[in-house]
Amino acid sequence: GEPVIDASKCIGCVKCVKVCPAQAIEMAFTPEEKRILDELAAAAAGAPPEEELDPEEAALREKLAAYRGVWVFIEQTEGEAAKVSWELLGKGKELAAARNCPLSAVVMGDQVEHLCRQAMGYGAETVYLMDAPVLRHYRTEAYQKSLCALVEKYKPEVILMGATGLGRDLAGVVATVLATGLTADCTGLSIDKGNLMQTRPAFGGNIMATIVCDKFRPQMSTVRPHVMPMPEFDASLKGEIVREPVPVAEDEVQVKVLDILMDKGGSKVDIAGAEFIISGGRGMMAKENFGLLEELAEVLGGVVGASRSAVDAGWMPQDRQVGQTGKTVRPKVYIACGISGAIQHLVGMQDSDVVIAINRDPEAPIFEVASYGIVGDLFQVIPSLTAKLKALKG
Ligand code: FAD
């Protein structure tokens, strides 16, 4: 149902504003309330420090204070960076500003120095570079030892990685070896009282949980591609490359890459990278009807996506699924056809620039995130939309 704010319990801490995943909450204060809040804040700032910290607390603070700086791991394959790494540098910059600390990138591979320049253009002030043939292909052991050695030497407070196959693997093993916390698939990251607030869906996406790692460092998070916006590249930005020796020799690595076979199967369409996505749900009624969406996609130069119901029904392949257990997308335009708008679907597409929903049920929750809503029968609306667009194109 509708969220309700109980005014008698609200203390104006604005925490809800910060954590609302849809950025839907605003808080306004009357001048009188503002005066009281300012007075309270001033009193808190000027208050004498609490009596002596107990020794345990003091030791903890000292341990945490040894860690400083925000790091982003730059994932690469054959010398090409995964875009999510640049998205994370954009977010990393905000976090570093909030902590008043430097933003750094970590580049690992074989002959990958060109990625350092790119990382600087996306905001990294320092780039730690480990460049050696042993790091040519991703192998858990070699990358884990290398990254752990870097962390132990330079002690960053935050490490961000893409929630890709590689990132999930590396983040997990590194967090385990360093005995620190890791939050996977974060959808929101911010700083509060010096700690990283890591927000992610929990309990099947029914609630948003904010996870804090306040006793260990570094604080590690993975974020899926397209969740954070892509920052602007600025070629004039400068930074420093710190070359580090690779602490692993080839004969210490158990896994050998003998051959790389590219997957020739699958539908070869990357919905996560598309600018226009036309998704169909259970309302499409049958596999054949997805032809309507293909036609519309063709006119728009887009691709066809699907809700989980449509995938489960076998109407679309799994790699087209949008949502919590599918892909997170951020296209310019997302058209949802016959999709009700379950929370698990919304978390995968709600950050699209424009959402257009076509549904015959005016109460469907998809309309709550839609920029434009069309209440009607999709079997009438979609063909006429396609015809109109075709006519416009001439
Ligand atoms: P429905 O909810 O059945 O909606 C069909 C809609 O079509 C209705 O709103 C109806 O009004 C409309 N409709 C019917 N006929 C017409 C017509 N002729 N014209 C116009 N409109 C019409 N779901 C995902 O999508 N992605 C995920 O990644 C995902 N992960 C999940 C993970 C977990 C742990 C769980 C528990 C669930 C997950 N789900 C996911 C499932 C999700 O909860 C919903 O069940 C699913 O999204 C519903 O799909 P739908 O909107 O296509 O179908």
Side-chain angles (χ1 to χ4, degrees):
E2 282 284 300
V4 178
I5 294 172
D6 183 345
S8 67
K9 290 196 176 140
C10 175
I11 55 162
C13 70
V14 297
K15 273 193 184 149
C16 59
V17 176
K18 289 186 203 156
V19 302
C20 175
Q23 283 154 25
I25 305 178
E26 272 180 52
M27 199 170 287
F29 298 109
T30 63
E32 177 59 10
E33 284 166 345
K34 182 97 186 59
R35 190 185 61 72
I36 296 171
L37 285 170
D38 286 347
E39 264 179 32
L40 287 172
E50 297 135 43
E51 321 87 84
E52 255 175 50
L53 284 179
D54 72 85
E56 227 170 88
E57 177 72 21
L60 175 65
R61 285 204 193 175
E62 197 181 316
K63 177 177 102 175
L64 301 191
Y67 290 80
R68 189 159 177 272
V70 173
W71 281 14
V72 173
F73 176 81
I74 308 299
E75 171 176 341
Q76 60 86 25
T77 323
E78 297 290 318
E80 198 182 319
K83 284 208 188 91
V84 63
S85 307
W86 308 141
E87 293 163 10
L88 291 179
L89 278 174
K91 181 42 101 177
K93 198 169 199 164
E94 275 174 47
L95 300 175
R99 286 289 296 140
N100 196 14
C101 72
L103 172 65
S104 308
V106 176
V107 171
M108 289 180 181
D110 184 24
Q111 299 179 12
V112 287
E113 192 164 334
H114 59 283
L115 295 176
C116 300
R117 286 242 47 85
Q118 288 185 36
M120 290 172 197
Y122 285 112
E125 294 156 61
T126 307
V127 185
Y128 297 100
L129 172 63
M130 283 189 168
D131 203 325
V134 67
L135 297 178
R136 176 171 161 78
H137 298 297
Y138 175 74
R139 286 175 295 171
T140 310
E141 216 181 341
Y143 272 63
Q144 173 264 308
K145 284 190 178 145
S146 302
L147 187 54
C148 287
L150 266 186
V151 171
E152 274 155 18
K153 181 163 176 190
Y154 292 102
K155 299 195 184 320
E157 60 196 85
V158 170
I159 305 179
L160 309 180
M161 292 191 203
T164 57
L166 188 161
R168 285 172 203 271
D169 184 67
L170 183 61
V173 67
V174 166
T176 308
V177 172
L178 296 174
T180 188
L182 165 66
T183 307
D185 284 342
C186 296
T187 54
L189 294 171
S190 62
I191 298 288
D192 189 35
K193 298 196 185 79
N195 287 313
L196 183 64
M197 301 286 118
Q198 309 166 100
T199 304
R200 57 154 299 152
F203 296 111
N206 289 315
I207 62 158
M208 298 302 284
T210 298
I211 295 163
V212 189
C213 172
D214 58 355
K215 295 197 171 51
F216 298 92
R217 291 290 184 268
Q219 305 161 92
M220 296 183 60
S221 319
T222 65
V223 179
R224 289 203 215 178
H226 305 286
V227 169
M228 302 298 173
M230 186 74 175
E232 290 284 331
F233 180 80
D234 180 350
S236 70
L237 288 174
K238 299 261 178 302
E240 185 200 357
I241 300 180
V242 177
R243 278 163 233 273
E244 286 290 327
V246 177
V248 199
E250 182 59 48
D251 57 12
E252 294 167 47
V253 186
Q254 306 290 319
V255 175
K256 305 290 171 201
V257 177
L258 303 180
D259 199 359
I260 295 178
L261 303 169
M262 295 312 244
D263 180 13
K264 294 200 186 67
S267 59
K268 281 208 200 105
V269 169
D270 175 24
I271 57 164
E275 298 204 329
F276 291 87
I277 300 177
I278 299 86
S279 280
R282 202 197 303 272
M284 295 305 297
M285 307 305 284
K287 188 173 185 161
E288 306 78 75
N289 298 331
F290 274 79
L292 292 174
L293 304 187
E294 293 288 357
E295 250 182 276
L296 178 55
E298 198 175 315
V299 190
L300 290 170
V303 300
V304 176
S307 72
R308 176 159 150 185
S309 300
V311 171
D312 287 350
W315 301 341
M316 274 304 214
Q318 213 281 326
D319 62 1
R320 304 290 185 102
Q321 183 179 317
V322 173
Q324 191 191 322
T325 40
K327 293 202 169 124
T328 304
V329 297
R330 214 181 225 280
K332 291 205 170 114
V333 178
Y334 187 90
I335 309 183
C337 310
I339 292 179
S340 60
I343 181 74
Q344 297 89 353
H345 189 79
L346 300 186
V347 293
M349 45 64 72
Q350 63 194 358
D351 288 326
S352 307
D353 294 348
V354 172
V355 174
I356 302 172
I358 305 171
N359 197 306
R360 66 179 175 196
D361 172 10
E363 302 294 323
I366 189 75
F367 288 124
E368 286 170 29
V369 300
S371 332
Y372 302 98
I374 303 173
V375 179
D377 181 1
L378 65 90
F379 295 104
Q380 283 170 3
V381 176
I382 297 172
S384 43
L385 192 61
T386 310
K388 184 86 189 171
L389 285 166
K390 272 191 184 154
L392 280 175
K393 277 186 131 184

